Amino acid sequence: VINTLIHNEAFLYEIKQYAASISTSEEELLQKAKKIFKEMISSFQPRSIRFSKKLMKIFFSSLFSNVKIYGASHLSQELDNRYLFLPSHRSHFDYLLISDILDDLGHTPPHVAAGINRSFVPMGPIFRRLGAFFIRRRISGNFLYLACLKTYLRWLTNFPLSIELFIEGGRSRDGKLRK
């Protein structure tokens, strides 16, 4: 995946332009970009989803006596795995439930944008296998990082899969929606 991203024509053009503007070599920027991609990308593995579903059933049954899903029936007919899910981020159950519901309907769970703080060992590698890709909290002004992120997101949209982003940025601590 990293080699595909690094050799993307649009990405290489941006790197060439940026290297010239800051008087550095393209090769140096490409080496930094490889590290960024390695930090960022998902390594989705369907068998990890099956294993996590078993754990989640046990976990959910100990926390909830009943979970009702409204409006999911139309997803089974209409969902072509090219959706952008934008749930609120009131809790960590948001992404777990969406992935679980989609899997129950026979669809691939979405690739989920996660804060880089979730990339710790041992959970980071597990989250990657479940479809998480990691984004730094602060990317403003970091041209190379932003170019890598745009390239990765463009690459993901070439596949019949869904993406899940949390427009609030982080999880709510008080249960209220964030600005």
Side-chain angles (χ1 to χ4, degrees):
V1 172
I2 292 173
N3 284 335
T4 300
L5 297 170
I6 288 290
H7 293 100
N8 176 282
E9 253 182 70
F11 180 72
L12 288 173
Y13 178 78
E14 283 189 75
I15 293 300
K16 184 176 188 166
Q17 298 298 314
Y18 184 56
S21 75
I22 63 169
S23 301
T24 194
S25 74
E26 292 173 43
E27 187 55 41
E28 183 180 337
L29 290 178
L30 288 174
Q31 290 304 315
K32 289 180 180 179
K34 283 181 184 179
K35 290 179 183 175
I36 292 169
F37 283 130
K38 187 174 182 179
E39 168 189 287
M40 182 184 297
I41 66 173
S42 165
S43 60
F44 180 75
Q45 296 177 6
R47 69 177 177 261
S48 295
I49 294 291
R50 288 189 294 274
F51 178 73
S52 87
K53 278 186 72 66
K54 291 176 184 173
L55 291 177
M56 294 314 300
K57 270 199 191 326
I58 295 166
F59 182 69
F60 284 150
S61 67
S62 68
L63 288 176
F64 305 111
S65 60
N66 194 4
V67 174
K68 292 184 181 187
I69 310 299
Y70 297 98
S73 59
H74 72 280
L75 288 176
S76 60
Q77 293 107 22
E78 296 176 14
L79 188 62
D80 70 353
N81 276 342
R82 285 184 187 252
Y83 273 65
L84 177 62
F85 292 95
L86 299 169
S88 66
H89 203 10
R90 289 184 172 188
S91 74
H92 287 294
F93 293 117
D94 304 336
Y95 56 87
L96 297 171
L97 283 171
I98 288 174
S99 293
D100 194 50
I101 291 164
L102 291 174
D103 187 66
D104 286 348
L105 293 171
H107 299 289
T108 304
H111 278 60
V112 180
I116 194 68
N117 60 316
R118 296 284 165 225
S119 184
F120 60 90
V121 174
M123 298 310 294
I126 293 169
F127 292 150
R128 277 185 207 282
R129 288 185 194 106
L130 295 172
F133 59 97
F134 296 100
I135 300 176
R136 294 178 187 171
R137 295 282 180 192
R138 306 223 189 302
I139 59 176
S140 177
N142 188 336
F143 179 86
L144 182 59
Y145 188 85
L146 191 55
C148 290
L149 180 58
K150 288 190 310 188
T151 300
Y152 183 58
L153 288 173
R154 278 190 211 115
W155 181 79
L156 281 176
T157 60
N158 287 317
F159 298 97
L161 55 85
S162 295
I163 298 174
E164 186 174 349
L165 303 169
F166 300 93
I167 57 176
E168 296 168 83
R171 186 174 48 83
S172 170
R173 303 279 185 238
D174 58 8
K176 295 179 182 173
L177 291 177
R178 294 175 61 185
K179 291 182 181 180

